[in-house]
């Protein structure tokens, strides 16, 4: 299915929900919920038009929400129950702004994932929470900027790169989590603290 128009814009109101799969293009302001929830299918935000999220972008039930265009705003992003949110430019690059990201798995162990792909940047005013089973990954030259805290409660935060001769690493949460360096072309900038479980750890991007 297709929603939107090249020459106009629309608002998804606070009590309204857009769900399923297909394309959303043209201008859009989301105050309600944009929900990718069809197993194996994508709901794609596609150029042109200004996209703004002041509500909730959610991927669940095995669906994928692909952000292929810039998104501004102060909204939330959540992935769970096998859902995936992927920043993947439709043209040269994309920048996505928001308040927070939360990623977790359901009782069946279906992981939620959030991927910041090459030529993509994610900037958050509050923070990121990765609960048990959740995965947040920056690949290639993807950039993550967090003004608040990065909380890893049994999930995985990883940064890797495409070049085979460059190292990659991961930080995995838990009561006594292993801590590895994050290297390569991907970047992570955290103004607050990184918490592994309830323990704050020092982080250096060098």
């Amino acid at each position: 299915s297709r929603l939107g128009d090249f020459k106009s814009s629309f608002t998804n109101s606070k009590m309204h929900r857009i769900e399923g799969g297909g394309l959303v293009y043209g201008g859009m302001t989301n105050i309600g919920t944009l929900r990718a929830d069809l197993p194996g299918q994508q709901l794609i935000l596609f150029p042109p038009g200004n996209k703004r999220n002041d509500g909730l972008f959610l991927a669940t039930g095995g669906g994928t929400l692909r952000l292929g265009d810039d998104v501004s705003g102060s909204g939330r992003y959540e992935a769970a129950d096998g859902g995936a949110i992927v920043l993947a430019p439709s043209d040269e690059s994309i920048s996505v702004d928001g308040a927070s990201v939360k990623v977790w798995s359901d009782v069946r162990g279906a992981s939620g994932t959030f991927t910041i792909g090459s030529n993509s940047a994610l900037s958050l005013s509050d923070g990121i929470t990765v609960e048990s089973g959740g995965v947040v990954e920056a690949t290639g030259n993807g950039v993550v900027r967090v003004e608040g805290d990065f909380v890893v409660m049994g999930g995985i935060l990883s940064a890797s790169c495409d070049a085979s001769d460059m190292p990659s690493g991961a930080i995995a949460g838990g009561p006594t989590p292993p801590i590895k360096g994050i290297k390569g072309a991907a970047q992570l900038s955290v103004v607050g603290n990184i918490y592994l479980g309830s323990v704050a750890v020092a982080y250096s991007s060098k």
Side-chain angles (χ1 to χ4, degrees):
S1 62
R2 187 176 69 182
L3 181 63
D5 188 275
F6 280 107
K7 298 182 180 180
S8 64
S9 61
F10 70 95
T11 297
N12 186 40
S13 62
K14 188 173 183 179
M15 302 303 293
H16 193 260
R17 184 169 72 189
I18 297 171
E19 60 186 10
L23 288 175
V24 177
Y25 67 108
M28 181 197 72
T29 298
N30 178 56
I31 307 173
T33 299
L34 186 73
R35 177 185 173 107
D37 58 4
L38 290 180
Q41 296 192 37
Q42 294 188 355
L43 180 58
I44 304 172
L45 266 66
F46 200 77
N50 295 322
K51 312 290 193 304
R52 183 177 180 89
N53 176 31
D54 289 322
L56 172 63
F57 278 9
L58 172 66
T60 187
T64 297
L65 176 58
R66 177 185 166 190
L67 307 182
D69 198 7
D70 293 342
V71 182
S72 62
S74 58
R76 296 173 292 131
Y77 299 83
E78 298 186 8
D81 186 21
I85 298 178
V86 180
L87 276 60
S90 297
D91 44 27
E92 294 181 356
S93 64
I94 62 166
S95 176
V96 173
D97 298 336
S100 63
V101 165
K102 183 178 180 182
V103 187
W104 73 99
S105 65
D106 66 1
V107 294
R108 296 169 296 176
S111 299
T113 62
F114 194 108
T115 301
I116 302 92
S118 293
N119 302 317
S120 301
L122 173 69
S123 299
L124 300 172
S125 60
D126 292 345
I128 297 179
T129 300
V130 190
E131 297 186 355
S132 180
V135 177
V136 171
E137 181 180 30
T139 64
N141 60 349
V143 177
V144 182
R145 302 183 184 93
V146 181
E147 293 294 324
D149 294 330
F150 205 130
V151 183
V152 183
M153 300 290 292
I156 295 175
L157 158 67
S158 70
S160 60
C161 58
D162 296 330
S164 59
D165 59 342
M166 296 286 284
S168 63
I171 293 179
T176 54
I179 301 174
K180 300 179 180 179
I182 293 182
K183 301 178 181 179
Q187 299 178 41
L188 171 64
S189 172
V190 179
V191 174
N193 294 310
I194 293 179
Y195 288 90
L196 302 181
S198 59
V199 180
V201 299
Y203 169 79
S204 173
S205 60
K206 297 181 180 179

